[in-house]
Amino acid sequence: MDSWAHYLDQVLFAVLPYVAVFTLILVTIQRYRAQRFSYSSLSSQFLENRQHFWGLVPFHYGILTIIAGHVVAFLIPREILAWNSHPLRLYILELSALVFALMTLIGLLAGMVRRWTNPKIRIVTSASDWIIYLLLFVQIVSGIYVAVFYPWGSSWFSTSAAPYLWSLVKLNPDVSFVASMPHMVKLHIINAFLLIGFFPFTRLVHILVIPNPYLWRKPQVVRWYGKPKETAGGGA
Ligand code: HEM
């Protein structure tokens, strides 16, 4: 049993991350060569605007801040620990992260409800859209769960998650940092790899063609010509 658990940990935390990153790189390059013009979020703003805006903006500001926070914690773990050594600063960091995480969740839910309830939008929503919604939902809910029930994540990220991620970067994966983590933390990490691997198959590739001007410009009408199914990610 123990050896099975050990084997599974190796597959999920030492093999899956590389499979995910290779898939990301290879499919991204292949898709760029074969279907360059499918690098888009396939905006559906023209189908209706206002409701879209209220989900889209909190989601983007939320997730970009959260991802930036993860990257900073990965790059400068010692500085994060030093910052957290004063309880007040730790609370400020944790609370602001939680606010941005909730913003992301609200924005995501607004997007899901909109796609589900608006018939015009549902028709241009592909299976890959629903899969990426599900993966994002699991990622954000598990992250919030971890932040709330296993305090103080910003500190133990520095001592456990950051060294684990660095071991991956150095091509010498050390699963021992994560093997004894609670199930929800493991789910959060595994789901992140699934998100990375699935990313190039979806409309999320639009991230690779930043800047995304809708973060600061007024909502505007965008039209897509051609049949939705012709473009990867499907939809208008
Ligand atoms: C696609 C990538 C990822 C996304 C979108 C994501 C998203 C989130 C979100 C929304 C939260 C809640 C924020 C909070 O309230 O603190 C969170 C927390 C957390 N995540 Fe992630 N995550 C990702 C990848 C990872 C990875 C790869 C790890 C570790 C190897 C990780 C470790 C953590 C930890 C430890 C927390 C708790 C932080 C705290 O308590 O302040 N995340 N994540």
Side-chain angles (χ1 to χ4, degrees):
M1 181 67 194
D2 264 4
S3 65
W4 263 107
H6 175 75
Y7 179 69
L8 192 64
D9 279 343
Q10 290 292 333
V11 171
L12 294 174
F13 298 105
V15 179
L16 180 65
Y18 296 108
V19 173
V21 171
F22 272 112
T23 310
L24 173 73
I25 295 170
L26 294 181
V27 178
T28 302
I29 294 172
Q30 161 60 22
R31 185 168 165 188
Y32 192 75
R33 288 167 58 160
Q35 299 170 278
R36 185 163 312 186
F37 297 109
S38 72
Y39 265 51
S40 159
S41 65
L42 298 167
S43 173
S44 53
Q45 270 188 50
F46 78 95
L47 295 174
E48 50 73 37
N49 237 322
R50 191 161 301 207
Q51 195 194 344
H52 192 31
F53 184 77
W54 288 113
L56 190 74
V57 170
F59 173 78
H60 280 89
Y61 281 114
I63 198 149
L64 291 177
T65 312
I66 291 290
I67 289 177
H70 280 60
V71 171
V72 170
F74 165 69
L75 290 177
I76 49 167
R78 282 201 200 95
E79 285 74 3
I80 297 288
L81 278 177
W83 168 272
N84 283 350
S85 61
H86 293 266
L88 182 64
R89 296 202 304 221
L90 166 71
Y91 300 148
I92 292 173
L93 179 63
E94 290 277 340
L95 198 68
S96 357
L98 200 57
V99 169
F100 281 105
L102 290 172
M103 240 166 83
T104 315
L105 182 61
I106 291 168
L108 185 75
L109 286 174
M112 291 171 92
V113 168
R114 168 178 173 269
R115 280 195 182 270
W116 188 254
T117 54
N118 186 325
K120 272 195 287 183
I121 306 208
R122 199 160 152 189
I123 215 158
V124 295
T125 303
S126 63
S128 80
D129 291 331
W130 288 117
I131 295 173
I132 207 72
Y133 266 121
L134 183 72
L135 289 172
L136 283 168
F137 182 77
V138 171
Q139 193 63 23
I140 291 151
V141 171
S142 61
I144 293 175
Y145 186 98
V146 169
V148 172
F149 292 102
Y150 303 110
W152 302 99
S154 55
S155 284
W156 58 256
F157 186 102
S158 306
T159 51
S160 304
Y164 161 65
L165 293 173
W166 274 113
S167 78
L168 290 179
V169 173
K170 290 176 188 156
L171 304 182
N172 187 15
D174 187 346
V175 169
S176 66
F177 284 112
V178 283
S180 55
M181 293 265 188
H183 291 314
M184 204 47 115
V185 178
K186 286 184 160 182
L187 174 69
H188 188 70
I189 299 174
I190 295 163
N191 197 71
F193 298 142
L194 295 181
L195 255 173
I196 292 169
F198 196 61
F199 173 96
F201 297 99
T202 70
R203 63 175 75 211
L204 289 187
V205 286
H206 76 276
I207 295 168
L208 302 175
V209 283
I210 46 176
N212 291 315
Y214 52 75
L215 290 179
W216 51 86
R217 68 152 161 78
K218 286 196 186 132
Q220 74 182 29
V221 169
V222 178
R223 282 182 201 281
W224 287 96
Y225 291 102
K227 286 191 219 115
K229 293 244 162 59
E230 280 170 8
T231 45

